[in-house]
Amino acid sequence: MTGKMQAVLIDAPGGPEGLRVGEAPIPEPGPGEIRLKVAYSSMNPMDVFARQGKVSWLPIKWPFIPGIEHAGVVDKVGDGVDAGMIGKRYHSRNMFGGNAEYSISPLSNAHPMPDGLDWKTGTCYGGMTYTSYHALHTAARIRPTDWCLFHSAAGPIGIMLTQIAKDAGAKVIGLCSGGKIDYARQYGADHLIDYTTGDWVADVKKITEGQGADIIVDGNQGPDAPKNYEVIAPGGHCIYVGATAGSPAPEIPVSTLIFKSAFVGGFNLPLLETRGARDNDDVLRKVIDGTWKVPISEEVTLDDVPDLHRRFAARQVKGRAVIRVGGELNWSK
């Protein structure tokens, strides 16, 4: 296939005002690669960091096409790839380019779309769900007696963390802005605190009767990160999964950690994915049967992506926004 496709493009690192929708060459798969006719893409913070020029550990070409998490139908394969994949649904992670009609993905970044998932859920469930599951069950080893504190409780990971923690029998305190509390409430947190008003550290201590939080998951970092160590319980775990409020976080007070026997770490899902240790049948079953609901809050088109980036930067997006590209494509069973 030769010709042009519609894509979201930005010519150089910068703000959302630099994004535009235009034509780009339809890419050709190389050895070990597949080409997807894209159905949907999701709005991921990594797209923002890459657009700003802050990602150095993944391949980025300029003009840059966002879309690190997307799904579609395989329409062409490169040398060394089984042609039987053509016509099948695949989900691509950790490779940009999904904000376009066609994308290229190495086989190492592609996962077959599980049966039982609709297009939109299958597009965005992977990163948020497995990050949340492994942060709680693999990194922190959650217990039914735990108090959990989740930052960005109205965001996709905060929402999945809440549901997975409640399913494990733990109690959940969520932090989010006041305008998002009603949205977050439907996912089952025991307490929701508006972190933009008052003293959330004091609130957490009061709710936990002075014990503090056994598990803290923070995707923000930023200058307020040290407050986590004020509310971490003895023997507790504070796990960083992102840096939407800025990085690096201020220096960790080691003396406080020793005093509280507390643990601070980070979690990076792609490392599990490269080892083949991500997938879990129980996780997939609970997404398919609706035990854990994937928080898709809105659907937009490629033309809406520049404004979506603007709203995302202003922290006006709840849950996960999905971007319709080819839409409900047909595929082979």
Side-chain angles (χ1 to χ4, degrees), residues 22-280:
E23 288 190 336
I26 295 174
E28 291 292 324
E33 294 180 336
I34 62 173
R35 184 171 70 193
L36 293 176
K37 181 174 175 59
V38 179
Y40 289 89
S41 184
S42 76
M43 178 69 210
N44 191 290
M46 287 294 295
D47 293 319
V48 174
F49 300 146
R51 183 250 298 157
Q52 293 170 334
K54 296 179 179 179
V55 172
S56 60
W57 57 95
L58 289 173
I60 299 213
K61 299 177 181 178
W62 302 92
F64 171 64
I65 300 175
I68 195 171
E69 189 170 50
H70 58 281
V73 175
V74 179
D75 89 310
K76 192 172 184 179
V77 300
D79 290 343
V81 180
D82 180 7
M85 293 177 64
I86 294 174
K88 307 294 187 184
R89 292 199 305 172
Y90 268 75
H91 172 254
S92 176
R93 268 183 44 76
N94 304 318
M95 180 59 61
F96 295 102
N99 288 181
E101 292 179 288
Y102 294 89
S103 75
I104 298 296
S105 178
L107 280 179
S108 58
N109 294 94
H111 300 270
M113 179 83 82
D115 291 336
L117 293 180
D118 62 68
W119 270 117
K120 286 181 275 192
T121 302
T123 295
C124 61
Y125 89 99
M128 68 174 79
T129 306
Y130 285 108
T131 293
S132 301
Y133 176 83
H134 286 294
L136 293 176
H137 284 278
T138 303
R141 299 184 180 181
I142 191 170
R143 303 163 300 177
T145 55
D146 284 338
W147 274 103
C148 299
L149 174 66
F150 301 142
H151 292 257
S152 299
I157 288 179
I159 287 169
M160 298 311 294
L161 285 165
T162 295
Q163 296 177 93
I164 294 168
K166 292 300 297 177
D167 194 40
K171 297 177 287 293
V172 173
I173 302 168
L175 302 179
C176 61
S177 61
K180 296 180 179 179
I181 283 178
D182 285 344
Y183 180 79
R185 183 175 289 117
Q186 62 186 304
Y187 295 100
D190 297 279
H191 302 272
L192 289 164
I193 299 171
D194 182 354
Y195 73 93
T196 66
T197 63
D199 182 353
W200 65 263
V201 169
D203 291 339
V204 170
K205 289 181 178 179
K206 181 178 180 180
I207 290 168
T208 62
E209 299 180 342
Q211 170 186 317
D214 301 290
I215 298 174
I216 301 170
V217 183
D218 186 347
N220 297 334
Q221 291 191 54
D224 284 341
K227 291 183 179 180
N228 289 321
Y229 316 130
E230 298 180 44
V231 297
I232 195 167
H237 290 73
C238 178
I239 301 170
Y240 291 100
V241 296
T244 58
S247 67
E251 186 174 336
I252 296 171
V254 175
S255 59
T256 298
L257 303 185
I258 293 172
F259 177 73
K260 289 189 170 184
S261 295
F263 305 87
V264 175
F267 181 77
N268 181 19
L269 181 62
L271 288 181
L272 282 185
E273 291 177 321
T274 57
R275 295 175 182 175
R278 182 196 82 161
D279 291 349
N280 179 293

